[in-house]
Amino acid sequence: MKAFRIACLLLGLLPGLPLPGLAAEAAGVSWLTLITQHVEGQTGRVPYRVVVDVPADEAMPPACLQRPSIAATNRQHWLGLMSLTLACERPAWRGTLTVRVRGMAQVVRSARPLNAGVRLGEDDVRLVEADLAAEPTGAATELSQVLGRETSRPLRENATVALNALRALTVIKTGDRLTVRVRGKAFEISADGVAQQAGAVGENIRIKLGDGRSLNAVVVRVGLVDIAL
């Protein structure tokens, strides 16, 4: 285990101070708690739970009796391995520490091996808490994002379901007769229309009303589209 890297020790009034390996908790200050609070403050409101741990080859910093401080320079992403600069006013020291930041959140995993072309149902997927830093880009985090969609490639059991591995099923075809639901702040009316484009749930398509006007509408389900005013 490598010693905590002390860049400077300013107070010569404390000879023999045991620096490396002295856990911060010994003085009532938990560095892991302080670092976690620092990361949470930097990330703001995020859809995951922040967990900070120290890799096995890093030693915990020495105790800090007064005004501990934490800084990370040029940091854009707060997940994964990161280097922090830690400092203390009493005893006076400054050093660096590498920590691992995990963002724990629920992700959608396959409940069984799935072939390409499977329309996902509730028995096919499940929610599992995982570290987002280790998950693929675009991992689905809610069942509603995947149910009813079709796999575009095979998935092994317990594989993370990424949104780019799914395709939406077309529920409206060009020429289909539609119910057009027009929704305002305090009203809702319905009209007849015809689809001018095919579309899947949640997609925008062009539709034609009975009076000949063409408008954009959002596909809700088979035979139903919404226009929000």
Side-chain angles (χ1 to χ4, degrees), residues 117 119-120 148-150 167-172 199-201 203 219:
R119 184 173 182 174
L120 296 179
R149 300 183 70 180
E150 188 177 274
R167 51 177 173 253
L169 295 177
T170 299
V171 296
I172 290 178
V201 174
E203 291 184 339
V219 177

Side-chain angles (χ1 to χ4, degrees), residues 2-64:
K2 59 185 176 183
F4 179 73
R5 297 177 291 277
I6 302 297
C8 60
L9 176 60
L10 300 180
L11 290 185
L13 301 177
L14 297 172
L17 178 68
L19 292 177
L22 174 61
E25 289 84 344
V29 179
S30 168
W31 277 110
L32 283 181
T33 298
L34 292 175
I35 293 170
T36 301
Q37 292 172 348
H38 177 76
V39 173
E40 289 174 338
Q42 295 295 319
T43 53
R45 300 185 63 169
V46 291
Y48 53 77
R49 178 172 58 89
V50 173
V51 176
V52 177
D53 51 45
V54 179
D57 61 345
E58 288 279 338
M60 287 299 295
C64 182

Side-chain angles (χ1 to χ4, degrees), residues 103-174:
M104 305 303 294
Q106 289 193 320
V107 298
V108 180
R109 296 269 180 87
S110 54
R112 60 185 181 84
L114 298 170
N115 294 322
V118 173
R119 184 173 182 174
L120 296 179
E122 293 183 354
D123 293 336
D124 300 317
V125 290
R126 58 183 175 173
L127 286 171
V128 176
E129 188 176 55
D131 178 11
L132 292 182
E135 296 297 309
T137 302
T141 56
E142 297 178 8
L143 292 178
S144 61
Q145 295 176 309
V146 306
L147 292 179
R149 300 183 70 180
E150 188 177 274
T151 55
S152 60
R153 59 176 181 261
L155 295 173
R156 68 181 187 281
E157 184 175 354
N158 202 38
T160 298
V161 180
L163 296 178
N164 61 9
L166 304 175
R167 51 177 173 253
L169 295 177
T170 299
V171 296
I172 290 178
K173 299 181 178 64
T174 302

Side-chain angles (χ1 to χ4, degrees), residues 54-98:
V54 179
D57 61 345
E58 288 279 338
M60 287 299 295
C64 182
L65 303 178
Q66 187 174 352
R67 293 192 182 181
S69 65
I70 303 167
T73 58
N74 300 322
R75 190 71 187 177
Q76 294 181 341
H77 303 286
W78 290 87
L79 295 179
L81 287 174
M82 60 184 298
S83 180
L84 298 172
T85 298
L86 308 184
C88 180
E89 185 173 293
R90 187 169 70 87
W93 53 260
R94 180 182 299 272
T96 59
L97 178 70
T98 298

Side-chain angles (χ1 to χ4, degrees), residues 119 148 168-174 176-178 195 197-203 205 218-225:
R119 184 173 182 174
L169 295 177
T170 299
V171 296
I172 290 178
K173 299 181 178 64
T174 302
D176 282 356
R177 295 189 176 277
L178 306 171
Q197 289 178 296
V201 174
E203 291 184 339
I205 63 170
V218 178
V219 177
V220 178
R221 60 175 182 267
V222 174
L224 178 64
V225 296

